[in-house]
């Protein structure tokens, strides 16, 4: 495993932010709160949690276009992060609120989607805890912790938390999203 570093409240301009680092991979996660739920959730007594993922232009050796969010890859990763968070969130507790978790890759050295999921859970949990302390929520709606990791076979060896070098040489690789009971929430 690469060293992990979590810097909370990395930005002062948003409700909550986390800089999540796994080795050289760095992801800035921010949480925005809205009192408007999606139209399809109106009158449902449920709130919503969604996510957006993007790699910033200078996050890898080759410039990534700012329009990359429109690509299928970024949307697919955004959906993965959102599903992972919603799978452990009691949406009834957040009735009337929508939370958008933005994951912006500042530096990519493999494992950006797993780092995003890990940082997103931390930032969302901190946001919920803050709302409980401010009496905006009765309780934290998260019913479990979430952790994500990449695993691959590189030169016949099983390797966890693949950096770019290992990922590019892997015969096979996958991403696992687990809850705190080690039950699989997502396999990709």
């Amino acid at each position: 495993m690469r060293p992990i570093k979590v810097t909370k409240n990395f930005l002062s301009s948003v409700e909550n932010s986390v800089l999540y680092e796994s080795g050289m991979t760095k992801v800035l996660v921010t949480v925005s709160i809205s009192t408007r739920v999606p139209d399809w959730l109106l009158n449902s007594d449920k709130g919503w949690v969604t996510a957006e993922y993007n790699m910033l232009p200078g996050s890898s050796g080759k410039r990534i276009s700012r329009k990359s969010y429109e690509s299928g890859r970024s949307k697919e990763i955004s959906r993965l992060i959102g599903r992972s968070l919603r799978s452990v969130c009691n949406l009834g507790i957040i009735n009337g609120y929508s939370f958008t978790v933005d994951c912006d890759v500042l530096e990519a050295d493999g494992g950006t989607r797993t780092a995003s999921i890990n940082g997103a859970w931390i930032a969302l949990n901190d946001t919920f805890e803050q709302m409980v302390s401010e009496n905006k929520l009765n309780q934290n709606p998260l019913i479990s912790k979430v952790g994500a990791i990449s695993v691959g076979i590189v030169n016949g060896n099983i390797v966890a938390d693949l950096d770019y070098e290992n990922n590019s040489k892997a015969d096979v690789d996958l991403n696992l999203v687990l809850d705190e009971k080690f039950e699989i929430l997502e396999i990709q």
Side-chain angles (χ1 to χ4, degrees):
M1 294 279 303
R2 295 178 284 175
I4 294 171
K5 181 179 178 187
V6 176
T7 306
K8 295 184 177 187
N9 301 312
F10 187 73
L11 300 175
S12 60
S13 58
V14 293
E15 293 287 333
N16 216 313
S17 64
V18 166
L19 177 64
Y20 187 93
E21 300 175 67
S22 178
M24 294 301 297
T25 293
K26 295 174 181 64
V27 180
L28 174 61
V29 181
T30 59
V31 178
S32 301
I33 305 169
S34 172
T35 55
R36 185 174 185 277
V37 296
D39 290 343
W40 52 270
L41 272 179
L42 291 174
N43 304 315
S44 71
D45 296 329
K46 291 184 179 178
W48 191 243
V49 174
T50 189
E52 292 188 12
Y53 166 97
N54 205 6
M55 293 179 65
L56 296 182
S59 62
S60 72
K62 181 181 174 189
R63 184 185 186 278
I64 296 171
S65 169
R66 290 191 187 272
K67 295 179 183 178
S68 69
Y69 182 73
E70 298 166 11
S71 76
R73 181 179 185 274
S74 288
K75 285 184 181 180
E76 176 260 326
I77 295 170
S78 296
R79 291 178 180 141
L80 170 69
I81 298 165
R83 284 192 313 269
S84 298
L85 296 172
R86 287 190 301 275
S87 71
V88 296
C89 186
N90 181 336
L91 298 177
I93 293 173
I94 59 172
N95 181 24
Y97 289 105
S98 289
F99 298 85
T100 302
V101 182
D102 288 294
C103 302
D104 292 303
V105 178
L106 304 177
E107 188 167 355
D109 185 30
T112 60
R113 66 187 73 194
T114 56
S116 294
I117 291 167
N118 294 335
W121 187 90
I122 293 167
L124 190 60
N125 181 63
D126 287 353
T127 300
F128 289 153
E129 289 293 328
Q130 181 179 337
M131 291 181 77
V132 168
S133 72
E134 295 171 350
N135 295 318
K136 293 179 181 176
L137 292 176
N138 292 329
Q139 67 186 69
N140 187 326
L142 293 173
I143 57 175
S144 183
K145 295 176 182 170
V146 168
I149 190 165
S150 60
V151 181
I153 298 176
V154 181
N155 299 324
N157 298 310
I158 297 174
V159 178
D161 190 26
L162 300 168
D163 61 12
Y164 178 78
E165 182 179 339
N166 281 320
N167 193 53
S168 64
K169 295 187 299 187
D171 297 318
V172 64
D173 69 288
L174 62 90
N175 296 300
L176 288 171
V177 183
L178 307 166
D179 66 12
E180 64 189 58
K181 295 177 186 172
F182 298 102
E183 293 177 355
I184 297 172
L185 303 174
E186 292 270 349
I187 298 177
Q188 196 180 50

